[in-house]
Amino acid sequence: DGEGGLSVLGKNGLSNGSTEYMLVRYAKKELTIPPGDGAASPALAFTEQRGQLTDTSGTSVEGVRFYSTGSYPPLYVQNDTLSFVTASVDTSSTTPDTLHRVDITFFDSKTALMSAAGLDKLDNYRNYYLGHIPEGRARVGQYGRVAVTDLYDGIDLQMFADESGIVYYFVIQPGGDPNDLKLDIHGQDSLYLKARNLFVGTSLGDFNLPAPKAFQIDSLGQEVSTAWKPEYSIAGSRVSFSSTGSYDSAKVLVVELRRDPVIVSSGDNWITYFGSNSSRDLVRAIDVDGGDNIFVAGETENFVFPEVDGELIDVSNNSNDSDLSSNSVIVAKFNSQNVLNYITIFGGRGFEIGYDIKVDGDNIFLVGRTNSDDIPLTTGNPPIGFGDRQGFLGKIKEIDGTIEALKVIGGLKWNDFRAIDIHSDKIIVAGTSEGSGTVTNVAQTGAYNQTVAGSLDVIVGEISADLNFIWLTHFGGDSGDRPVDIEFSDNNGHFFLVGDTNTKSYSIQQNTPPTDGGFPKYSSSGSDSFPKGNGSSDNIEDVFIAEFDAGNNLLWSTFYGGNGADRFGPGANKIAVASNNKVAIVFSTSNFSTFPPPDTYGSFFQTGKGEHVVSVFVDRKLDWASAYGCFENNSIFPFQESGESVIYSSDGTLIAFGSTDCEPVPFLEYCGLPSSVLDYPVCPPYGLDLYFQGTLGSPLLQGGKDISIMGFTPSYLFKYGTYFGGNADEYVSCVANLSNGDFIFAGITESDTDFPLEFPASPDDMYKQETLYGSRDNFLAKLPIGGLTVTSVKENERSLSSGLKVFPNPVFGQQSVTLTFAPLSFDSEINLVNSLGQLIKTFALERGNSELQVEFDSLPKGAYFFTMHGSAVKVIKN
């Protein structure tokens, strides 16, 4: 037609002898393809709809032009509508599956002119021969890109099948107006913004559209930056793009919705999402066997794990009754090559949680709790009703994940099992029991035996391989006591029990099971025995630590904390035991400055109001402790949405995990105490090829909480500190050692961009989940973090300044103190820091100096610290 259009005229002879004519006209459309896209992903490619697609009734869906079922959720493109369908598909053909559809249309668009077309056709195609189209559909095209033209004057939509997910481009030609873009969303349960992403709530889990970005395209077809910054804006069910800044109206403007690309690692790092399309996925515990097979346990409310295809999923008795809060236990095994072997899911129509897991030979032992009256027990009776919460003990075959034994313990109140550990075939478990008569003690000659003490007691006991109790006792005082972890010592078969308590004081009956409602006080000469809250009347909650011998007799127990709230967060691995009688614990606090002082300060001692506390006991004495974090969050309960874990590497390196939303120290303060109470300690792995993320996992105002990883040498030198996370919140829940010195740790994440996904180059069948399903998923991360005691230049510098001494101490009115140290072989400096971690003053020192005098008369009363290259000494001003 002279304008690039095309007209096709055809005719068809009908059976009645008449002729029918058809005229089809094609209009030429000018499209600007955004630059920079690589090859399309065949796994996410758009399939042309030529009648093969049907709805749930089996009727061909004529309105759909293209669809991508490899994306999450699957996307169906009509000329004027985008449809997303979340699904819950179980393993039974006799029960109905559930779908939830959400449509996006475009308000006040040029609906009648909108048209979808496929671009970037791939070489592969599909042939369909189905019951409703027995004649078949041959060579159905696969396309890397779909364009929807004429949304508005000068505005098209393009969708590209990128390996990170579907990329959406709103391409606005000069003269087009981005303010015209208005998305009307239909069928959702909710719409909300989080970390700039648009989340769409459905009954089967939330999904999101990535945060918008913008760029322009110049006359040469090249991408150029723009000061125009778009953001989602929600008004009811209508979403538009608000903006700041300006753009060049003579250039093409592109609004891009794209997830960050996945990194394929050249090394062995493995970082993956792991979850279903629900928002209640939570891995709570992890263990590794002698072959580096990885086992995780936790909970889920949905049986659809989109990345799991054909693996064993064992679902029992879950009715998915909409009136019940269905939450089931999940156990998964990954082999040493990161390949998923199986997932086992079990539960009933109520609520189950798997708290801890341990592998022993051919068996996996699991503890948790349930209130389902139809949980598939192998022995005993299930809970009577949903108010009857009982702890369960489980035994699963390691080879295939099938249940070998499952039983519950408890009565008509609150009961659970939260921790388990195994040493030389001895199995110890710990949990909670509410009130009298719910759990019966099993006495053992020579073992600790305490009767019911309060409204909520710890219960601790030894079980046989067939899940029967050999020994079981209550433990605690007259207020709430809660265990969180058990860890054996390899030296002597002793085990340590840690938890938190509201009991206010010790029993007056020392070194004997209490009967007066006080907390057990067991100690011997040289052992630390701290009062509740370190003697403060303002104490809210303390943690406790207890040691039992190989005969299950209690040897030592003590409160530990300050005048605020001290508590372990959710998850496992709160305690780690090294071979030289070192016991490390990690937990949350609201005020570390009132804790008992340690014997050693090392190179890292941070105090004041903090986020996390890491403490080391040696031979039942507090050897070293420090808060780590910033002091921005001074709430009484900072641990409500927190998580910590701690572990020793084979060479004695202590690794502490936590979570924080604090900004990192400046570059010049790396590997030292922060000078600002708002900064977080960071230390790159000098001389070591280890994972390092120096900032919160995204633009700082969007990063939420990131996981922190802190490494300390056996002499308490701070050697390693990094962030780990993406654009939203992360929490760590558990960690385990691998045989080569690496670690595998797990937790939960809400980040859908900037999350540091990494996958080794092989094998091809390793578990790779590159998409956040729902609003929250688990993650698994295998990283080489051990071996931090390798000597580096920085380590040598620190060792030169050992032996700091200060006199007088404490200071009673004197105007100065004298600090002495080994003669320096290089120019250096000493920092004076207060109890909040604030830098008071820095003193420059020249080579050969061995003494420094410091004026103290102008300083207020309190605790202060001199620090120099890895050594610290405390001085008190009275």
Side-chain angles (χ1 to χ4, degrees):
D1 61 5
E3 297 179 357
L6 177 68
S7 299
V8 179
L9 177 66
K11 66 178 182 179
N12 184 37
L14 304 181
S15 59
N16 61 6
S18 62
T19 300
E20 182 180 73
Y21 292 86
M22 176 179 289
L23 177 65
V24 180
R25 299 189 63 185
Y26 296 89
K28 181 180 179 180
K29 295 293 181 182
E30 297 278 354
L31 289 178
T32 300
I33 306 297
D37 287 330
S41 168
L44 300 180
F46 294 92
T47 302
E48 181 184 8
Q49 155 64 345
R50 284 174 40 200
Q52 73 275 11
L53 186 68
T54 65
D55 61 19
T56 54
S57 66
T59 303
S60 179
V61 183
E62 298 301 333
V64 173
R65 299 289 309 280
F66 300 90
Y67 57 93
S68 172
T69 55
S71 61
Y72 179 81
L75 169 62
Y76 300 85
V77 181
Q78 302 179 57
N79 284 333
D80 57 1
T81 304
L82 305 181
S83 297
F84 301 86
V85 180
T86 57
S88 175
V89 182
D90 62 29
T91 57
S92 172
S93 60
T94 62
T95 57
D97 300 325
T98 305
L99 305 176
H100 190 135
R101 171 176 159 181
V102 174
D103 289 343
I104 295 180
T105 59
F106 301 90
F107 173 74
D108 204 20
S109 63
K110 301 167 68 173
T111 304
L113 297 178
M114 292 171 64
S115 180
L119 305 172
D120 299 347
K121 190 172 184 179
L122 306 182
D123 292 336
N124 61 84
Y125 55 87
R126 298 179 182 179
N127 300 319
Y128 293 94
Y129 297 91
L130 305 172
H132 68 285
I133 48 170
E135 70 280 11
R137 297 290 186 270
R139 303 184 71 86
V140 173
Q142 304 287 294
Y143 295 87
R145 189 183 307 267
V146 167
V148 179
T149 61
D150 296 297
L151 269 72
Y152 303 93
D153 288 335
I155 301 180
D156 299 325
L157 168 63
Q158 296 179 35
M159 292 158 283
F160 180 72
D162 187 270
E163 287 194 357
S164 63
I166 302 298
V167 184
Y168 302 85
Y169 297 107
F170 292 99
V171 182
I172 305 164
Q173 300 292 334
D177 186 354
N179 292 320
D180 288 343
L181 278 171
K182 295 180 176 63
L183 286 61
D184 281 345
I185 304 182
H186 316 270
Q188 76 281 2
D189 290 342
S190 62
L191 287 177
Y192 60 96
L193 297 177
K194 185 171 65 176
R196 300 183 62 243
N197 293 265
L198 175 65
F199 280 82
V200 181
T202 81
S203 59
L204 302 175
D206 301 353
F207 66 92
N208 71 291
L209 294 178
K213 306 171 187 177
F215 60 89
Q216 292 199 261
I217 301 175
D218 63 16
S219 59
L220 299 177
Q222 297 177 336
E223 178 180 328
V224 293
S225 61
T226 177
W228 189 78
K229 306 297 182 185
E231 299 286 349
Y232 290 116
S233 178
I234 301 175
S237 293
R238 182 165 296 158
V239 176
S240 56
F241 294 93
S242 60
S243 62
T244 58
S246 60
Y247 63 94
D248 186 345
S249 60
K251 294 184 175 71
V252 175
L253 176 67
V254 179
V255 178
E256 176 190 56
L257 315 181
R258 179 197 293 269
R259 292 177 172 83
D260 287 342
V262 175
I263 296 175
V264 178
S265 173
S266 59
D268 295 326
N269 290 358
W270 177 53
I271 307 173
T272 182
Y273 294 115
F274 172 59
S276 71
N277 56 12
S278 77
S279 59
R280 199 181 286 168
D281 293 314
L282 179 55
V283 165
R284 292 177 178 266
I286 193 167
D287 198 24
V288 176
D289 67 9
D292 281 346
N293 296 300
I294 300 163
F295 302 83
V296 297
E299 63 197 74
T300 185
E301 66 175 355
N302 195 298
F303 304 152
V304 180
F305 286 72
E307 300 299 328
V308 178
D309 183 17
E311 307 296 343
L312 171 65
I313 300 181
D314 179 10
V315 182
S316 302
N317 294 350
N318 195 308
S319 65
N320 288 321
D321 191 322
S322 61
D323 294 332
L324 304 176
S325 179
S326 178
N327 203 75
S328 296
V329 176
I330 177 173
V331 176
K333 176 186 176 182
F334 300 85
N335 70 17
S336 61
Q337 298 298 305
N338 314 325
V339 176
L340 177 65
N341 289 155
Y342 57 75
I343 294 177
T344 296
I345 300 175
F346 69 87
R349 62 195 187 105
F351 199 99
E352 279 79 36
I353 294 176
Y355 280 117
D356 203 1
I357 187 173
K358 285 293 180 292
V359 184
D360 186 41
D362 296 333
N363 298 305
I364 303 168
F365 292 89
L366 180 73
V367 297
R369 60 97 158 174
T370 178
N371 68 349
S372 294
D373 55 8
D374 59 346
I375 187 172
L377 303 179
T378 59
T379 184
N381 298 317
I384 297 173
F386 294 114
D388 182 10
R389 169 173 162 169
Q390 296 185 7
F392 74 74
L393 306 172
K395 181 180 178 182
I396 296 172
K397 291 182 180 179
E398 183 273 337
I399 189 66
D400 60 9
T402 57
I403 294 176
E404 191 169 354
L406 185 64
K407 65 188 302 184
V408 295
I409 305 291
L412 293 173
K413 295 184 180 179
W414 181 301
N415 303 279
D416 58 34
F417 288 105
R418 290 178 174 262
I420 182 171
D421 200 19
I422 302 175
H423 176 67
S424 298
D425 294 330
K426 180 177 180 178
I427 309 170
I428 295 292
V429 297
T432 54
S433 177
E434 183 182 18
S436 177
T438 58
V439 174
T440 303
N441 283 12
V442 178
Q444 183 184 52
T445 302
Y448 184 81
N449 185 44
Q450 179 187 340
T451 58
V452 175
S455 58
L456 189 66
D457 284 351
V458 175
I459 51 174
V460 57
E462 178 182 354
I463 62 173
S464 64
D466 56 2
L467 308 185
N468 291 319
F469 274 97
I470 301 170
W471 162 69
L472 178 64
T473 182
H474 287 69
F475 175 90
D478 57 7
S479 294
D481 305 299
R482 182 180 69 109
V484 296
D485 200 11
I486 294 172
E487 184 81 10
F488 271 103
S489 169
D490 291 335
N491 287 347
N492 48 22
H494 292 200
F495 67 89
F496 293 86
L497 172 70
V498 293
D500 29 66
T501 178
N502 290 106
T503 301
K504 297 300 182 185
S505 61
Y506 288 113
S507 168
I508 61 173
Q509 303 162 297
Q510 295 189 30
N511 293 327
T512 188
T515 58
D516 58 1
F519 195 82
K521 184 176 183 181
Y522 276 64
S523 63
S524 58
S525 177
S527 300
D528 278 337
S529 182
F530 301 117
K532 182 70 182 295
N534 200 27
S536 170
S537 60
D538 297 330
N539 173 261
I540 300 171
E541 191 169 22
D542 261 8
V543 303
F544 69 81
I545 180 170
E547 179 183 359
F548 291 79
D549 65 16
N552 302 329
N553 183 48
L554 181 61
L555 300 179
W556 172 56
S557 61
T558 182
F559 294 118
Y560 180 53
N563 71 351
D566 310 302
R567 194 179 197 188
F568 290 98
N573 308 113
K574 308 302 183 186
I575 181 171
V577 182
S579 59
N580 52 356
N581 297 320
K582 278 189 174 182
V583 179
I585 59 175
V586 62
F587 56 95
S588 297
T589 185
S590 62
N591 193 345
F592 180 71
S593 62
T594 57
F595 272 49
D599 289 344
T600 308
Y601 290 99
S603 71
F604 190 89
F605 183 81
Q606 193 174 10
T607 185
K609 293 179 181 291
E611 294 178 296
H612 305 292
V613 176
V614 58
S615 303
V616 178
F617 293 82
V618 178
D619 294 326
R620 304 172 197 160
K621 286 187 67 64
L622 180 60
D623 193 52
W624 173 73
S626 179
Y628 68 98
C630 74
F631 313 131
E632 188 173 19
N633 182 357
N634 292 335
S635 63
I636 295 178
F637 295 101
F639 37 70
Q640 292 299 318
E641 287 295 336
S642 185
E644 310 91 23
S645 289
V646 66
I647 196 166
Y648 277 108
S649 68
S650 58
D651 63 1
T653 300
L654 176 64
I655 310 293
F657 296 79
S659 56
T660 182
D661 56 3
C662 304
E663 297 183 13
V665 295
F667 172 77
L668 294 178
E669 295 184 22
Y670 274 6
C671 302
L673 290 172
S675 59
S676 168
V677 297
L678 301 181
D679 289 344
Y680 201 84
V682 173
C683 185
Y686 291 103
L688 301 171
D689 185 19
L690 300 182
Y691 177 91
F692 181 69
Q693 179 183 317
T695 61
L696 285 171
S698 179
L700 291 179
L701 297 179
Q702 306 158 20
K705 280 185 177 287
D706 271 5
I707 290 166
S708 67
I709 307 173
M710 307 277 284
F712 301 93
T713 70
S715 58
Y716 310 124
L717 298 178
F718 178 37
K719 284 298 299 289
Y720 179 62
T722 183
Y723 292 97
F724 177 92
N727 66 322
D729 287 337
E730 277 83 30
Y731 306 99
V732 71
S733 59
C734 47
V735 61
N737 291 99
L738 295 164
S739 62
N740 64 353
D742 293 355
F743 291 92
I744 176 75
F745 61 98
I748 57 175
T749 179
E750 298 176 359
S751 294
D752 67 329
T753 57
D754 294 323
F755 190 74
L757 295 168
E758 287 193 45
F759 300 103
S762 62
D764 293 336
D765 56 347
M766 81 172 67
Y767 188 85
K768 296 181 182 180
Q769 183 175 328
E770 303 171 11
T771 302
L772 184 80
Y773 296 130
S775 60
R776 184 178 81 174
D777 267 355
N778 306 304
F779 71 83
L780 302 172
K782 182 188 290 186
L783 298 176
I785 308 174
L788 293 175
T789 56
V790 175
T791 300
S792 67
V793 173
K794 224 167 177 60
E795 178 78 11
N796 287 330
E797 290 178 355
R798 289 169 176 167
S799 66
L800 293 176
S801 59
S802 60
L804 287 173
K805 296 180 181 179
V806 63
F807 180 84
N809 191 11
V811 184
F812 291 95
Q814 287 94 337
Q815 293 186 347
S816 66
V817 299
T818 299
L819 186 71
T820 60
F821 42 87
L824 296 175
S825 58
F826 51 85
D827 292 346
S828 185
E829 61 183 27
I830 287 179
N831 291 326
L832 178 62
V833 182
N834 68 13
S835 61
L836 295 177
Q838 295 170 316
L839 179 66
I840 303 300
K841 190 173 182 180
T842 297
F843 304 91
L845 300 173
E846 296 180 353
R847 179 182 302 184
N849 283 158
S850 61
E851 182 178 295
L852 176 69
Q853 285 195 337
V854 179
E855 299 288 336
F856 256 65
D857 60 333
S858 63
L859 296 177
K861 294 180 179 180
Y864 296 87
F865 302 88
F866 289 104
T867 66
M868 180 171 67
H869 295 298
S871 294
V873 63
K874 181 178 182 181
V875 59
I876 302 297
K877 171 71 181 292
N878 283 334

